[in-house]
Amino acid sequence: MDQIDLALRGGAIALLLLLAGLMWRAPIAREGRMSILAVAVTESAFLLVHGPTGPDLPAALAAQLSMLASAMPLAVTWLLLTIFLDPPLARWPWLAAAGVVSGALLVTEWTGASPVVCGMLSMILFAGLFGLALWSAREDLVECRCEARPGFAAAIAGYGLFATGAQVVGGVDPATPWFALVQSGGTLALALTFAVWILRPDATRWPGITDAAEALRPARAAAPAGEDTALIARIEAAMEGGIWREEGLTIGALAARLAVPEHRLRRAINRGLGHRNFSSFINRARIEAARAALSDPAQMGRTVLEIAYETGFASLGPFNRAFRAETGQSPTEYRRAALDGQAQADPSNAAPIRANMH
C-alpha cells in the first residue's frame, strides 16, 4: 500500500506541476495562471510532507514545505474565485476567510496544537465555496462554466469536506495508510479531471477572464447566424426600449419577456454581445443612463438617490458600488468632475453650475 501511495502522490505532483506549466503559457489572464500555480505548489507541498511515507527531507526544507502546505485553502479559494467570480464582484471576504483558515493551519503546524479548530474552519470554508459556486450561477452567461459548476464545485468541496471531516469528526489520523491513499488518489483524480477539461483541444476552455481589458470592456463577438442573430436584435431592441430600468430584473424574467429558453438567452448575451455576467450587462446600460443624468446641468436639482431609482437600482448602496466599478468614481465625484469640466469649457455657465452644486 505504501508503494501505491507513493506512486499516486508522485503522479499527482507531476501532473499538478505540468498543468501549472502548460497553463502558464496559455492565453489567459495573469490571475488565472497565478492561481493555478499557487494550487499546484501548495498541494504538492502538502503531498510531500503529509503522507505516511515520503522522501527523507532536511528539517529546514520540511518546515518550509509545511508552511507552503498551510496556504493550500487560500490557494484553492483563489482559484475557485478566479474561475467563478468575474471582476468586479466582491472576492475579498472569501480571500480573508481563506486566509484565516490558512493562518490557523500554520499555527497548528508551528505549535502542535489540536487540529480540531482549523479543521472546523476548513469545513466551513469548503462548504461556503460549494454554496458560492452554485449561487453565483444565477447570472452566469459563460456556457462552459455553467456546465462545469455543479461537478467542479462538488468535487472540490466534497474532497475538502471529506479530508477535514474525517479528521475532525471521525478522528482519523492523516498518516493512516487508507486515508493517505484516498487523499493522494483523490488529488490525482481531481488534477486529471481538471486537466482533461481545461486542455481540450476543440475550444478554449478557460472560463475565467482571458484578457485584462475584458473585465472592464466587453468585446462583442462575431454575430452568429440564423435565429441567434434575430434573438440578439430582440435583446438590443428590449434594451433600447428601457427594459433595464425594471428593478430586480433577472435573466429568467427577460427570457420570459422575450419568450425564449433561458439557455439560449444566456448564450446570445455571452457570445453575441460579449458579456459574461447578467448583472454587469444590465448595469452597464443603467450606469450609462446615470452618467448622462449626472453630467446634465439641467438635472442638478435631482439627488443621486433619485437618479439611482430611475435607472433601476433598489437602493443607493448597490448603485454606488456598480457606478464605482464601472467608472472608478462615486456618483458624486463623477457629477462634480463632469460639471466642472463643462464649466471650464463654457465660462458663461460656470456660476450657475457652481451654485447648483452647492
Side-chain angles (χ1 to χ4, degrees):
M1 187 173 289
D2 288 345
Q3 287 75 15
I4 296 176
D5 177 65
L6 279 174
L8 291 175
R9 287 176 187 273
I13 292 172
L15 181 58
L16 284 168
L17 296 179
L18 176 61
L19 179 60
L22 291 173
M23 294 306 296
W24 190 262
R25 300 174 60 87
I28 65 175
R30 184 171 181 269
E31 185 180 19
R33 299 196 299 270
M34 291 294 291
S35 61
I36 291 176
L37 178 62
V39 170
V41 170
T42 56
E43 181 65 27
S44 296
F46 178 85
L47 291 173
L48 281 171
V49 298
H50 288 285
T53 59
D56 188 12
L57 301 173
L61 178 58
Q64 292 174 349
L65 289 174
S66 293
M67 291 177 63
L68 276 176
S70 299
M72 187 173 60
L74 181 58
V76 171
T77 300
W78 187 19
L79 175 61
L80 290 177
L81 295 179
T82 300
I83 290 177
F84 291 127
L85 289 188
D86 295 329
L89 297 178
R91 298 178 179 180
W92 67 265
W94 294 96
L95 291 173
V100 170
V101 174
S102 290
L105 288 172
L106 184 59
V107 170
T108 301
E109 288 284 342
W110 280 351
T111 64
S114 171
V116 173
V117 173
C118 61
M120 292 297 296
L121 291 175
S122 297
M123 291 179 66
I124 294 171
L125 175 65
F126 283 115
L129 290 173
F130 176 71
L132 174 68
L134 298 182
W135 172 83
S136 57
R138 300 176 305 163
E139 298 183 337
D140 192 6
L141 302 175
V142 182
E143 191 171 12
C144 70
R145 183 165 63 182
C146 289
E147 294 172 351
R149 277 179 183 274
F152 192 73
I156 294 293
Y159 176 68
L161 287 172
F162 167 78
T164 55
Q167 298 177 55
V168 175
V169 180
V172 177
D173 185 346
T176 303
W178 72 264
F179 184 73
L181 196 63
V182 171
Q183 280 191 317
S184 56
T187 301
L188 179 59
L190 285 175
L192 184 59
T193 301
F194 184 76
V196 170
W197 175 59
I198 206 70
L199 298 176
R200 282 179 59 179
D202 60 333
T204 300
R205 303 295 295 178
W206 176 251
I209 297 296
T210 56
D211 189 297
E214 189 175 340
L216 301 176
R217 184 182 64 255
R220 179 165 181 165
E227 59 182 357
D228 286 339
T229 303
L231 176 55
I232 289 171
R234 293 171 61 196
I235 295 170
E236 291 178 327
M239 294 296 286
E240 291 172 3
I243 196 170
W244 48 267
R245 293 182 184 274
E246 295 184 11
E247 181 183 325
L249 181 66
T250 65
I251 192 166
L254 182 57
R257 186 74 62 85
L258 297 177
V260 296
E262 191 173 312
H263 71 274
R264 272 193 60 204
L265 180 61
R266 290 177 187 270
R267 185 183 301 123
I269 297 175
N270 176 232
R271 297 185 182 180
L273 298 176
H275 289 267
R276 300 171 59 84
N277 181 274
F278 184 71
S279 288
S280 66
F281 169 60
I282 297 299
N283 284 348
R284 190 172 296 271
R286 292 172 172 172
I287 297 305
E288 284 300 314
R291 289 172 64 179
L294 290 168
S295 60
D296 184 2
Q299 299 191 51
M300 280 301 302
R302 304 180 63 204
T303 67
V304 171
L305 182 59
E306 289 174 330
I307 293 173
Y309 285 150
E310 183 187 84
T311 52
F313 289 91
S315 62
L316 193 57
F319 174 63
N320 285 336
R321 289 192 293 272
F323 195 94
R324 185 176 290 277
E326 186 72 24
T327 66
Q329 297 175 296
S330 71
T332 301
E333 292 168 344
Y334 181 87
R335 169 179 266 179
R336 184 181 296 112
L339 295 178
D340 277 348
Q342 292 177 21
Q344 292 174 6
D346 187 359
S348 63
N349 290 331
I353 289 176
R354 289 198 180 96
N356 284 333
M357 288 176 66
H358 296 286

